[in-house]
């Protein structure tokens, strides 16, 4: 069975056990991970899925390389930035099942927020969505709206940060980047892009799409209209609402993110926190109610509690409902 086929199996499949055990042995023997003595199955499977069950690639860990970013996973610490409608995870997946993220760079004031703080927002979002099994399998696509990009933004992106950004986009965080879409990119963005590009693997370079100011004519070639916000030529919720919804979701996950920062390899503890908070997790946009479907408590035992982190939400509007993974 090849990597993509293994990725489709449930976490408790016996066919995953040899790969999980191999990665656990390698992790316990790795000198840079000597301080960590326990790795839950769920944590290891997350990395294996991101690397199509290649154990060697799965062992790469960005967190060790970037403590200045990853040691503070607190949404309230960057609430001012989030409240500018800088970032959203769109409520609907695309036609391939990928999560779709939007970053509105012009909403970031570089005088108020450092590039490390801004990048930390991406890490917090990544930690949340990697708990979804469907996202582990289908990956994500990112839309960067560069309208408002200025010299102040460019000066924040150093070669060191460029290397770390490319590291996240390629091999060292457990997410498959399926596409990067650049909108409204100005001429003076090109030097920064040229600095990041050499660090990217060829497969990521091939997934970068530059749309320019005419993105309304081309973005719909990659995303269906119900997925995209109204401002981007779609039929989904407006971008302001989408950003506020995701900000609320991050704030509701504050304790969970703090647990991740303190115990990044312990998904059992994370899952218990998710279970404790499930009934309070709502996506409120334009009157949409979110209903969380839980399995019977008697079915929640041991490692299986991790699956609750990938719960399904049924969203209801005007008497019609559909399920969001």
């Amino acid at each position: 069975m090849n990597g993509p086929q293994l990725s489709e199996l449930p976490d408790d499949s016996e066919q995953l056990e040899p790969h999980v055990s191999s990665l656990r042995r390698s992790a316990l023997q790795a000198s840079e991970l000597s301080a960590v003595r326990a790795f839950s199955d769920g944590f290891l499977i997350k990395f294996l899925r991101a690397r199509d069950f290649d154990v060697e690639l799965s062992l790469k860990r960005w967190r060790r390389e970037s403590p200045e970013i990853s040691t503070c996973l607190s949404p309230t610490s960057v609430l001012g930035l989030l409240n500018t409608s800088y970032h959203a995870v769109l409520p609907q997946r695309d036609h391939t099942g990928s999560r779709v993220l939007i970053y509105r760079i012009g909403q970031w004031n570089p005088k108020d927020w450092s590039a490390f703080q801004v990048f930390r927002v991406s890490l917090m979002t990544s930690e949340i969505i990697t708990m979804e099994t469907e996202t582990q399998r289908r990956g994500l696509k990112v839309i960067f709206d560069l309208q408002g990009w200025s010299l102040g933004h460019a000066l924040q992106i150093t070669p060191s940060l460029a290397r770390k950004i490319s590291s996240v986009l390629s091999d060292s965080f457990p997410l498959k980047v399926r596409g990067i879409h650049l909108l409204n990119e100005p001429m003076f963005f090109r030097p920064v892009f040229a600095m990041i590009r050499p660090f990217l693997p060829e497969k990521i370079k091939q997934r970068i799409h530059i749309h320019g100011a005419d993105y309304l004519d081309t973005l719909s070639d990659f995303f269906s209209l119900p997925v995209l916000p109204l401002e981007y030529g779609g039929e989904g919720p407006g971008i302001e609402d989408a950003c506020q919804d995701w900000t609320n979701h991050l704030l509701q996950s504050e304790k969970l993110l703090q647990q991740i920062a303190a115990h990044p390899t312990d998904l059992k503890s994370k899952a218990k926190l998710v279970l404790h908070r499930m009934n309070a997790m709502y996506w409120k946009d334009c009157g949409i109610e979110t209903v969380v479907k839980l399995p019977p408590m008697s079915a929640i035992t041991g490692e299986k509690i991790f699956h609750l982190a990938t719960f399904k939400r049924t969203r209801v509007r005007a008497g019609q409902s559909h399920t969001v993974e």
Side-chain angles (χ1 to χ4, degrees):
M1 201 174 263
N2 60 31
Q5 291 172 327
L6 288 168
S7 185
E8 296 298 321
L9 297 176
D11 287 13
D12 56 0
S13 170
E14 292 182 358
Q15 291 174 278
L16 301 186
E17 179 55 34
H19 303 275
V20 172
S21 297
S22 178
L23 180 55
R24 179 178 283 111
R25 285 194 301 271
S26 297
L28 290 172
Q29 294 169 3
S31 58
E32 66 271 23
L33 300 177
S34 58
V36 183
R37 304 315 305 161
F39 298 90
S40 72
D41 286 359
F43 176 82
L44 297 173
I45 290 171
K46 179 172 69 171
F47 280 82
L48 285 165
R49 280 203 178 106
R51 306 293 172 253
D52 287 331
F53 283 80
D54 184 315
V55 171
E56 184 177 351
L57 285 178
S58 299
L59 195 58
K60 293 185 177 181
R61 300 186 70 248
W62 171 65
R63 181 180 298 276
R64 294 289 173 179
E65 300 174 7
S66 306
E68 67 274 35
I69 303 174
S70 59
T71 53
C72 178
L73 298 182
S74 170
T76 55
S77 71
V78 289
L79 183 57
L81 173 62
L82 291 170
N83 281 339
T84 67
S85 298
Y86 161 72
H87 170 53
V89 176
L90 300 184
Q92 288 201 41
R93 298 177 184 271
D94 79 344
H95 64 284
T96 68
S98 294
R99 277 286 183 208
V100 183
L101 285 59
I102 292 185
Y103 293 91
R104 305 168 73 206
I105 303 303
Q107 304 301 111
W108 161 31
N109 186 341
K111 294 181 180 179
D112 297 333
W113 304 98
S114 71
F116 280 117
Q117 290 172 309
V118 172
F119 201 25
R120 196 176 291 145
V121 172
S122 299
L123 180 58
M124 287 186 282
T125 287
S126 297
E127 290 285 9
I128 295 298
I129 65 176
T130 55
M131 297 183 72
E132 302 169 334
T133 301
E134 189 68 5
T135 302
Q136 294 172 19
R137 291 170 175 156
R138 312 296 175 215
L140 60 85
K141 294 172 184 174
V142 189
I143 298 172
F144 291 99
D145 186 346
L146 295 160
Q147 184 172 7
W149 176 273
S150 68
L151 180 61
H153 295 105
L155 293 175
Q156 290 263 8
I157 310 299
T158 64
S160 174
L161 182 61
R163 178 179 59 81
K164 289 172 180 175
I165 291 174
S166 62
S167 177
V168 171
L169 293 176
S170 53
D171 287 330
S172 53
F173 199 83
L175 278 172
K176 297 177 179 179
V177 179
R178 299 301 195 187
I180 299 173
H181 298 263
L182 306 179
L183 319 181
N184 294 314
E185 66 283 354
M187 289 289 293
F188 48 87
F189 172 73
R190 294 182 181 179
V192 173
F193 184 59
M195 180 168 51
I196 297 174
R197 188 179 175 86
F199 296 110
L200 299 175
E202 196 60 37
K203 65 179 180 180
I204 296 294
K205 293 177 184 177
Q206 295 174 0
R207 296 171 184 170
I208 297 174
H209 307 276
I210 299 178
H211 296 265
D214 298 324
Y215 60 87
L216 291 178
D217 297 329
T218 57
L219 204 55
S220 59
D221 294 339
F222 298 89
F223 303 98
S224 64
L225 296 184
V227 172
L228 294 171
L230 296 171
E231 295 85 348
Y232 293 89
E235 300 171 352
I239 188 61
E240 298 283 340
D241 289 336
C243 289
Q244 188 59 59
D245 286 346
W246 188 250
T247 294
N248 292 341
H249 190 63
L250 286 175
L251 291 172
Q252 291 170 354
S253 305
E254 177 97 25
K255 291 183 179 179
L256 170 62
L257 287 164
Q258 291 175 357
Q259 182 78 357
I260 292 171
H263 306 286
T265 66
D266 186 2
L267 283 189
K268 291 181 182 179
S269 295
K270 288 195 288 187
K272 290 175 184 177
L273 273 169
V274 171
L275 174 61
H276 178 70
R277 299 180 61 82
M278 271 185 179
N279 287 328
M281 299 178 84
Y282 294 95
W283 290 44
K284 297 178 180 177
D285 51 28
C286 301
I288 296 176
E289 178 186 1
T290 303
V291 180
V292 178
K293 295 181 178 179
L294 294 176
M297 287 301 296
S298 60
I300 305 172
T301 57
E303 190 69 27
K304 290 185 179 180
I305 197 170
F306 171 67
H307 294 291
L308 293 176
T310 61
F311 61 87
K312 294 184 177 180
R313 296 179 291 273
T314 300
R315 314 187 72 213
V316 182
R317 189 204 298 258
Q320 296 181 344
S321 68
H322 62 280
T323 297
V324 179
E325 294 287 347

